[in-house]
Amino acid sequence: MDKSISANGETTADGSIRGYDSLHQLLSANLKPELYQEVSRLLLGSNCGRSLEQIVLPDSAKALSSKHDFDLQAVSFSADEEQMRKPRVVRVGLVQNSIALPTTAPFSDQKRGIFEKLKPIIHAAGVAGVNILCLQEAWTMPFAFCTREKKWCEFAEPIDGESTKFLQELAKKYDMVIVSPILERDMDHGEVLWNTAVIIGNNGNIIGKHRKNHIPRVGDFNESTYYMEGDTGHPVFETVFGKIAVNICYGRHHPLNWLAFGLNGAEIVFNPSATVGELSEPMWPIEARNAAIANSYFVGSINRVGTEVFPNAFTSGDGKPQHNDFGHFYGSSYFSAPDASCTPSLSRCRDGLMISDMDLNLCRQYKDKWGFRMTARYEVYADLLDKYIKPEFKPQVVSDPMLHKNSS
C-alpha cells in the first residue's frame, strides 16, 4: 500500500494526501475491492444491513462544484419499510469552508468575501433539493476567538442582522431551512455577545435561536473572552422537514448535552464546530457517531477548513512559543445515523458540501430495537446529579477495609 500511496498521492504540510479528498478515497484507490468493502464496513458501519448508497445529483450541482472547486458528496441512509407509516425522507446538507481573504483585510471585505464564497455552495445545495442546510460555527468570520483581541467583536451582529438577511433570501428561494451559527450581539441586553445558531425557516422566517451551552477552556481555545455559556437550554425546532437541534462545537464532548436534545425529541442534531488536528482529530469520528447511537437520532458534524493566520501573535498559557495561528482546521464533515452507520467525510483541506438523504423513521426503529429510552434509569441519574451539585456531596465509594489496614 505504501508504494501505491507514493505513486498516487503526495503528503502535504497538513498531513493529508494530495490527490485524495478523504481516507475512504485513499483506501478505495489502494485496496482490492473485496478488502475495501470489509474495511469500509468496519469504518462506516452498515445501514439496515447494507452499504450506504450514493445519491445521483443534478448536473447543475456538479457543475457548481467543479467551477468553484468544492468537495461534493451525497450519500443516502435508508430505514426498514413499515406497514403503519410511510417513509419520512429528508435531504440534509452540511457546508464546510475556509475563509475568503487574509485576516488582515478590512473586516467588511472579509465578511463579504465569505458571503460570495458560500453563494455557489448554497446554490448547489438548493438545486440538489436540500431541505435543511447547516453552516459551520461562526461562518461569517475568521475563528478569532482564541486571540483574545476585542477588535474581532466587530463581526458580531443581531439575530436579524446582515447574515440572516442574506440567508433568508436563499432559504425562501430554495424552500430550505438553514441553520446559521454566528457571533450574536444581543441588542436587548446591553449588547452582550453569544455564540448562537439562528434557525431560518423555509419561508425565510426566523424560527428561533440556540446559544452555545459549553465554552472551551483548552489551550488556544479559551473563548470566554467573547461569550459565556448560553441561556437557551436545549431547544428542539420543529420544522416542516423534521425536528432539529444544534449542539454547538465543544458541546459534543458532553454526553448529557447530547442526551438533553434527544429527550426533547430531536431527530437530527447538528454539531457546527471549529477544531484543529493536533487538538481533537482522533476524537472527531467517534463522539458524534456515539451520540447518534446512544440517542437514536441523526447527527451532522461540521468542521471548518484551512489555517487562519492572524496579524498579532498570541500565546496559549502552556509554555509554548507565541504563534499566529491555531493550526489546521481539518474539515472532515460527515453524517452519523442511529444504527451506527456513517458517511465518508468531506475533504481535510477543501471547501465542501455533504448531502444526505435520511429516512427519519430510522430514529424510532432504533429506539424500538435497543430500548435505550426504556432501559435508562433517569430517576437514578437525576438523584445522583441532585446530590452532586450540593456542597455536602460525597462520592459513593466503597473501600476494601483491608486496603487501609495494609497501608498502615
Side-chain angles (χ1 to χ4, degrees):
M1 183 169 160
D2 288 340
K3 290 182 179 179
S4 299
I5 292 175
S6 62
N8 297 319
E10 172 189 352
T11 303
T12 63
D14 62 26
S16 61
I17 308 295
R18 181 173 289 122
Y20 301 103
D21 272 336
S22 70
L23 170 64
H24 303 286
Q25 285 191 7
L26 174 66
L27 292 174
S28 64
N30 291 281
L31 294 178
K32 294 180 179 179
E34 60 273 17
L35 182 56
Y36 171 70
Q37 283 296 111
E38 181 62 10
V39 170
S40 180
R41 183 185 70 82
L42 294 173
L43 290 175
L44 303 180
S46 58
N47 171 230
C48 297
R50 302 179 295 275
S51 298
L52 295 176
E53 297 181 1
Q54 299 293 316
I55 298 171
V56 178
L57 294 176
D59 290 339
S60 53
K62 296 176 185 177
L64 286 165
S65 167
S66 178
K67 179 178 179 180
H68 298 279
D69 189 29
F70 60 86
D71 188 11
L72 176 62
Q73 298 189 39
V75 183
S76 178
F77 294 100
S78 61
D80 291 332
E81 185 177 347
E82 299 185 21
Q83 296 187 41
M84 304 287 284
R85 290 194 303 172
K86 295 179 180 179
R88 298 177 58 225
V89 179
V90 58
R91 181 163 290 189
V92 186
L94 310 174
V95 176
Q96 66 177 41
N97 61 276
S98 58
I99 56 177
L101 295 174
T103 59
T104 51
F107 286 179
S108 58
D109 292 349
Q110 290 189 52
K111 192 172 186 179
R112 192 177 306 111
I114 294 173
F115 282 19
E116 291 304 312
K117 171 180 272 228
L118 258 63
K119 268 185 183 177
I121 303 178
I122 298 174
H123 284 313
V127 299
V130 167
N131 303 125
I132 308 172
L133 184 69
C134 186
L135 309 183
Q136 66 192 23
E137 183 184 20
W139 70 271
T140 64
M141 60 183 291
F143 201 79
F145 304 139
C146 310
T147 66
R148 299 182 290 283
E149 293 181 321
K150 290 296 189 178
K151 64 181 182 179
W152 304 102
C153 295
E154 289 190 46
F155 280 95
E157 57 183 287
I159 289 297
D160 58 354
E162 183 182 7
S163 65
T164 298
K165 288 181 171 59
F166 166 71
L167 294 175
Q168 283 177 306
E169 294 181 10
L170 293 164
K172 192 171 183 178
K173 175 182 175 70
Y174 290 114
D175 190 29
M176 179 166 60
V177 172
I178 301 180
V179 179
S180 173
I182 63 169
L183 182 60
E184 177 200 352
R185 186 176 295 279
D186 186 354
M187 303 304 293
D188 293 331
H189 296 89
E191 300 198 24
V192 170
L193 303 185
W194 303 96
N195 188 323
T196 300
V198 183
I199 315 302
I200 301 169
N202 59 304
N203 294 306
N205 56 309
I206 298 174
I207 297 176
K209 65 177 182 289
H210 173 58
R211 291 166 174 164
K212 185 174 181 175
N213 277 329
H214 298 278
I215 306 301
R217 293 167 177 85
V218 184
D220 283 339
F221 291 85
N222 188 334
E223 301 165 23
S224 56
T225 300
Y226 296 87
Y227 43 81
M228 294 299 288
E229 286 78 7
D231 60 356
T232 53
H234 296 85
V236 169
F237 303 94
E238 186 171 16
T239 76
V240 68
F241 303 116
K243 295 179 180 178
I244 66 174
V246 192
N247 182 3
I248 303 174
C249 198
Y250 192 69
R252 72 182 180 277
H253 305 309
H254 294 269
L256 291 179
N257 207 47
W258 290 110
L259 172 66
F261 292 117
L263 294 180
N264 280 330
E267 296 171 308
I268 307 168
V269 178
F270 296 100
N271 179 227
S273 300
T275 185
V276 296
E278 183 180 352
L279 180 65
S280 66
E281 198 159 11
M283 304 159 72
W284 182 251
I286 301 169
E287 290 172 305
R289 191 174 180 186
N290 185 64
I293 298 166
N295 297 289
S296 303
Y297 51 48
F298 290 91
V299 176
S301 304
I302 313 168
N303 186 27
R304 64 172 55 208
V305 178
T307 302
E308 301 176 7
V309 180
F310 293 89
N312 299 321
F314 49 90
T315 60
S316 308
D318 57 4
K320 294 181 181 179
Q322 62 180 2
H323 42 279
N324 293 80
D325 68 81
F326 307 128
H328 176 68
F329 293 104
Y330 52 83
S332 304
S333 303
Y334 71 105
F335 283 107
S336 305
D339 65 356
S341 60
C342 66
T343 66
S345 60
L346 288 175
S347 170
R348 289 186 81 257
C349 50
R350 297 171 64 209
D351 296 347
L353 171 62
M354 170 66 76
I355 295 174
S356 174
D357 284 352
M358 48 186 69
D359 187 340
L360 299 183
N361 282 353
L362 193 66
C363 299
R364 181 189 289 179
Q365 289 175 10
Y366 270 76
K367 287 178 183 177
D368 291 348
K369 177 173 182 175
W370 284 104
F372 291 150
R373 287 286 181 267
M374 291 187 290
T375 56
R377 299 295 305 279
Y378 299 117
E379 73 283 0
V380 177
Y381 312 148
D383 181 61
L384 172 60
L385 291 171
D386 181 61
K387 293 174 181 176
Y388 180 77
I389 62 176
K390 294 175 180 175
E392 64 271 18
F393 172 76
K394 299 294 181 184
Q396 184 181 4
V397 178
V398 180
S399 295
D400 181 350
M402 298 301 294
L403 185 66
H404 302 290
K405 184 176 290 188
N406 292 340
S407 63
S408 61

